[in-house]
Amino acid sequence: MKRILFICTGNTCRSPMAEAFLKGLAYEKGLTVAVRSAGISTVNGMPVSANSLHALNRRGIQHTGSSSVLQEEILEWADLVLTMTSAHKRDLLQQYAHMMDKTFTLKEFAYMDEDLQQIITELESLYTDMQMKQILGQPVEEKQRQRLMALERTIPSFDIADPYGGTQSHYDHCADELEEAIFKLVDKLLLLRNQQQK
């Protein structure tokens, strides 16, 4: 059984919605997972926001629970740690560098495929080359700069915006974004499970 942990800031909006979506969809698809969520800047026992619960209820999903502070124990429990933003991932890995192999943003893990991985690899290579040229005082070719800009435009944002303090439509938009990513996540988990069973 895969143990999945969702992380956001306060654990009252995005990560509880992601947890609820995954539990519901995994059950529908016959995928056995254990799912939890936590916040990197919260206190234990805060209620899930009313707007988040409303966004879930509109989709026929119930969620109970309250906020949990992220602790090393829950990180060690998880097989897969999925953050809502790149900043969450970066903050987490600064403190728990040994978690690198199992920590991703939700969208990064859900949407990553070979094509996107190739683009990211090429981008990283271009960044490194351009930085080296700057350090050595060498000019950066315009062709190289144009290629970098073209590649950057093809990379989707791996962040899910925080609806906290927004209107119900902000929460509904966030729920739409999460739901789409969770569908992709479940498809990927099912594919991985099927490959392992062969």
Side-chain angles (χ1 to χ4, degrees), residues 108-175:
E108 175 188 17
F109 187 84
Y111 292 99
M112 188 62 70
D113 58 18
E114 285 183 29
D115 292 340
L116 188 51
Q117 185 60 61
Q118 285 178 345
I119 291 169
I120 290 171
T121 301
E122 185 180 350
L123 254 179
E124 289 172 349
S125 175
L126 283 168
Y127 283 132
T128 302
D129 189 48
M130 288 173 73
Q131 286 174 343
M132 284 304 294
K133 284 182 177 177
Q134 287 176 337
I135 290 168
L136 298 171
Q138 299 172 350
V140 175
E141 297 171 23
E142 185 57 28
K143 185 174 143 184
Q144 194 176 32
R145 192 185 316 275
Q146 293 297 326
R147 178 63 179 160
L148 186 134
M149 288 169 44
L151 287 173
E152 282 181 336
R153 285 192 292 272
T154 66
I155 299 287
S157 169
F158 288 138
D159 291 353
I160 293 174
D162 190 354
Y164 182 77
T167 64
Q168 184 61 52
S169 66
H170 288 101
Y171 284 80
D172 291 337
H173 177 74
C174 180

Side-chain angles (χ1 to χ4, degrees), residues 41-190:
S41 181
T42 191
V43 295
N44 289 324
M46 297 287 291
V48 174
S49 77
N51 287 346
S52 293
L53 293 175
H54 184 69
L56 291 171
N57 290 339
R58 290 175 65 179
R59 292 162 172 80
I61 299 170
Q62 301 299 311
H63 181 71
T64 57
S66 57
S67 65
S68 296
V69 175
L70 178 65
Q71 296 177 327
E72 190 166 4
E73 172 190 324
I74 192 172
L75 285 170
E76 296 299 338
W77 166 86
D79 298 314
L80 183 60
V81 178
L82 300 174
T83 68
M84 295 297 115
T85 68
S86 300
H88 293 136
K89 177 183 170 183
R90 186 174 52 252
D91 291 348
L92 185 125
L93 292 176
Q94 282 177 349
Q95 191 170 356
Y96 304 102
H98 65 285
M99 303 295 294
M100 184 173 288
D101 291 343
K102 63 178 182 178
T103 302
F104 307 86
T105 70
L106 167 59
K107 283 185 163 183
E108 175 188 17
F109 187 84
Y111 292 99
M112 188 62 70
D113 58 18
E114 285 183 29
D115 292 340
L116 188 51
Q117 185 60 61
Q118 285 178 345
I119 291 169
I120 290 171
T121 301
E122 185 180 350
L123 254 179
E124 289 172 349
S125 175
L126 283 168
Y127 283 132
T128 302
D129 189 48
M130 288 173 73
Q131 286 174 343
M132 284 304 294
K133 284 182 177 177
Q134 287 176 337
I135 290 168
L136 298 171
Q138 299 172 350
V140 175
E141 297 171 23
E142 185 57 28
K143 185 174 143 184
Q144 194 176 32
R145 192 185 316 275
Q146 293 297 326
R147 178 63 179 160
L148 186 134
M149 288 169 44
L151 287 173
E152 282 181 336
R153 285 192 292 272
T154 66
I155 299 287
S157 169
F158 288 138
D159 291 353
I160 293 174
D162 190 354
Y164 182 77
T167 64
Q168 184 61 52
S169 66
H170 288 101
Y171 284 80
D172 291 337
H173 177 74
C174 180
D176 290 341
E177 205 173 349
L178 284 167
E179 189 173 33
E180 182 181 315
I182 297 296
F183 270 105
K184 293 276 191 187
L185 171 63
V186 168
D187 286 346
K188 193 171 231 184
L189 293 173
L190 286 168

